[in-house]
Amino acid sequence: MVLLPFAAASFHAYQLFVNDRKTMEARFEKFRSDLAGAEDVTSIRPLAEDYCKVLLDDAQLRLYLFYPVFQTRDLIERQLRSARLDWENGPAVVSFHEVTGKAADRLVIPFPPDGEKLGAAVTPPCRSTRLYFYRRTWLRRTADLIYLKLNELQTLQKEKKQLTKELKASFGQDLHDSTAQQLFFLSAQTYQLKRLLNCDPVQFREQLNKLEESIQDFQVNTRSYIAYLKADDANLSLFQAIEQMIKRLSAGFNIKARLHADGMIISETVKVEESIYRVIEELTSNAIKHGNISRIDVYMHINPIEWQIVLTDDGDGTFPELDTDTEQLGMQSIQSRLEQIKGSISFSERKEQGLKTTITIPRGEVTPYDERISG
């Protein structure tokens, strides 16, 4: 009979423990969910601090994380970073210097309580320095979650910086290859107009007509580039983007442009796809403007080893003379882009059969076979 009250008390304590554990599990899962949705490193500390306040039942608690990204001018944080604390002995009362110069005691709880030190929880020394195993376990699990999330966000941030760097380089190259070169050519034509203004009216009008044509070409190319940069094109495959591009370039010229593609692109770098698009765009534009053609066909064959791209037309079968600086620079741009991705280009002049341009580019994986003919 003497043991009955003791057994009842033990059972009651066990029930409290079970209920408390269920409550902590629910709170931990909510914290896990909130942390998973965090998109910025700086949002982690407030989430973790709010959870630790609930976990340790201490509304005055402050959580400091020692990652460089969380570094602030907080006086206690700076002292924590420089202090040589005996982390192995768990929570301890530490004396800190306040802004006024006076010393103030704070209870420092290592975070997590064992293993790699991610940070520390600091609170007024009104509670026991003893941290029960139950709470230590929850702090350990919390710290593990934060550690994994920090690494994930930092990895994403590095990838974002690298992608931004590559996009800036690509955008700068595009501006250099198109806009900057064409503006330079327009500037040269304007200079020639000034010289002809008072000395040769006939040549002046001819040069003025050429300038007008150049400006119109510049407008078309600029609109084409803007259309390429629009978000709607982001969901297009490379084949679809090229198909739209050659149709856009041939519109208004009474030229039949067709894309023939076989193979399926599974993985390819942005740089290679961008270069392929730009090279085909430049070659198609040159053929339409200077090749005296009524038809142009673009063949794209992809296998696990390489890209094989062939452009054929029904022009006079000779490579067009590149009379202007802009056209010569455009050809140099094609060569430069292909060199960067280890590609090669060759031209076959076929009298009265049109010009054939062949491009070969080494590549990664594809899975055959998805034939598509547009037109």
Side-chain angles (χ1 to χ4, degrees):
M1 298 295 293
V2 177
L3 295 176
L4 287 177
F6 176 76
S10 298
F11 180 71
H12 180 66
Y14 174 75
Q15 283 185 317
L16 290 176
F17 173 79
V18 170
N19 292 336
D20 184 53
R21 182 177 179 81
K22 290 180 179 179
T23 301
M24 294 308 299
E25 283 283 3
R27 289 172 176 170
F28 182 76
E29 288 303 318
K30 184 180 185 307
F31 171 67
R32 185 203 298 270
S33 176
D34 292 342
L35 192 64
E39 298 180 354
D40 186 74
V41 173
T42 56
S43 64
I44 292 179
R45 195 198 66 80
L47 284 173
E49 183 176 271
D50 290 343
Y51 174 70
C52 287
K53 287 179 179 179
V54 175
L55 176 62
L56 299 178
D57 192 22
D58 190 341
Q60 300 183 65
L61 179 142
R62 289 292 308 278
L63 181 65
Y64 298 95
L65 298 177
F66 294 160
Y67 268 56
V69 70
F70 297 113
Q71 190 167 358
T72 67
R73 290 181 167 273
D74 188 279
L75 186 59
I76 291 180
E77 179 183 340
R78 283 187 286 171
Q79 294 177 72
L80 269 175
R81 288 177 180 271
S82 60
R84 295 182 178 180
L85 301 176
D86 187 8
W87 295 103
E88 299 303 324
N89 291 328
V93 176
V94 180
S95 182
F96 293 94
H97 294 287
E98 295 184 331
V99 180
T100 59
K102 295 181 179 180
D105 291 339
R106 295 286 187 274
L107 176 64
V108 178
I109 304 172
F111 182 76
D114 54 2
E116 182 181 352
K117 295 303 171 285
L118 186 63
V122 178
T123 185
C126 56
R127 60 180 294 160
S128 170
T129 59
R130 185 177 181 183
L131 190 62
Y132 291 98
F133 175 79
Y134 180 56
R135 302 295 175 183
R136 291 168 65 95
T137 302
W138 285 108
L139 280 177
R140 173 76 261 174
R141 293 179 67 183
T142 304
D144 287 343
L145 272 184
I146 294 174
Y147 182 78
L148 291 173
K149 187 63 179 181
L150 278 172
N151 286 340
E152 175 191 335
L153 289 179
Q154 288 186 326
T155 300
L156 289 174
Q157 190 174 28
K158 289 180 181 178
E159 292 176 351
K160 181 180 178 181
K161 286 183 179 180
Q162 181 62 28
L163 181 59
T164 301
K165 181 179 178 181
E166 292 176 0
L167 286 174
K168 285 182 177 180
S170 175
F171 187 66
Q173 183 69 39
D174 286 338
L175 287 178
H176 176 268
D177 292 345
S178 56
T179 305
Q181 293 174 0
Q182 291 180 9
L183 286 174
F184 173 78
F185 177 61
L186 291 176
S187 176
Q189 286 185 313
T190 304
Y191 176 75
Q192 292 179 8
L193 277 177
K194 288 182 179 179
R195 297 182 59 186
L196 296 172
L197 180 60
N198 297 320
C199 46
D200 194 333
V202 176
Q203 287 190 16
F204 176 80
R205 282 193 295 272
E206 292 177 355
Q207 189 68 26
L208 185 61
N209 290 333
K210 289 182 179 180
L211 178 61
E212 184 180 10
E213 291 178 2
S214 299
I215 292 174
Q216 290 174 350
D217 289 342
F218 183 40
Q219 289 176 331
V220 171
N221 292 335
T222 302
R223 290 195 190 102
S224 175
Y225 188 52
I226 291 173
Y228 176 74
L229 291 176
K230 280 184 177 179
D232 291 344
D233 286 345
N235 296 323
L236 296 178
S237 70
L238 178 61
F239 292 155
Q240 291 172 322
I242 290 175
E243 180 183 22
Q244 289 190 8
M245 176 262 291
I246 62 176
K247 286 184 176 180
R248 182 173 63 246
L249 291 176
S250 60
F253 288 94
N254 195 26
I255 294 174
K256 182 181 291 186
R258 289 160 48 94
L259 170 68
H260 312 262
D262 63 90
M264 183 179 294
I265 308 169
I266 287 185
S267 62
E268 190 59 88
T269 65
V270 174
K271 183 176 182 180
V272 169
E273 290 196 1
E274 173 76 11
S275 297
I276 290 173
Y277 181 94
R278 287 299 175 196
V279 167
I280 293 177
E281 181 183 41
E282 186 69 34
L283 291 171
T284 304
S285 178
N286 283 340
I288 290 173
K289 292 178 182 177
H290 311 293
N292 190 27
I293 65 174
S294 62
R295 174 187 59 80
I296 182 169
D297 291 273
V298 179
Y299 297 88
M300 300 180 69
H301 174 71
I302 305 98
N303 60 51
I305 299 174
E306 62 187 7
W307 292 83
Q308 296 173 354
I309 303 169
V310 177
L311 286 81
T312 63
D313 60 52
D314 62 348
D316 53 20
T318 59
F319 190 76
E321 294 293 331
L322 303 181
D323 298 326
T324 67
D325 291 338
T326 300
E327 292 161 359
Q328 292 174 5
L329 287 172
M331 203 60 224
Q332 291 174 11
S333 172
I334 291 174
Q335 297 281 5
S336 174
R337 285 185 182 275
L338 290 175
E339 286 175 4
Q340 291 176 17
I341 56 176
K342 300 180 180 180
S344 62
I345 186 170
S346 62
F347 301 94
S348 300
E349 296 183 345
R350 304 174 301 173
K351 294 295 183 180
E352 299 181 357
Q353 294 182 10
L355 182 69
K356 179 181 179 181
T357 305
T358 304
I359 301 167
T360 303
I361 302 168
R363 70 172 307 273
E365 296 182 44
V366 298
T367 57
Y369 171 81
D370 176 36
E371 182 172 32
R372 172 185 174 161
I373 299 180
S374 65

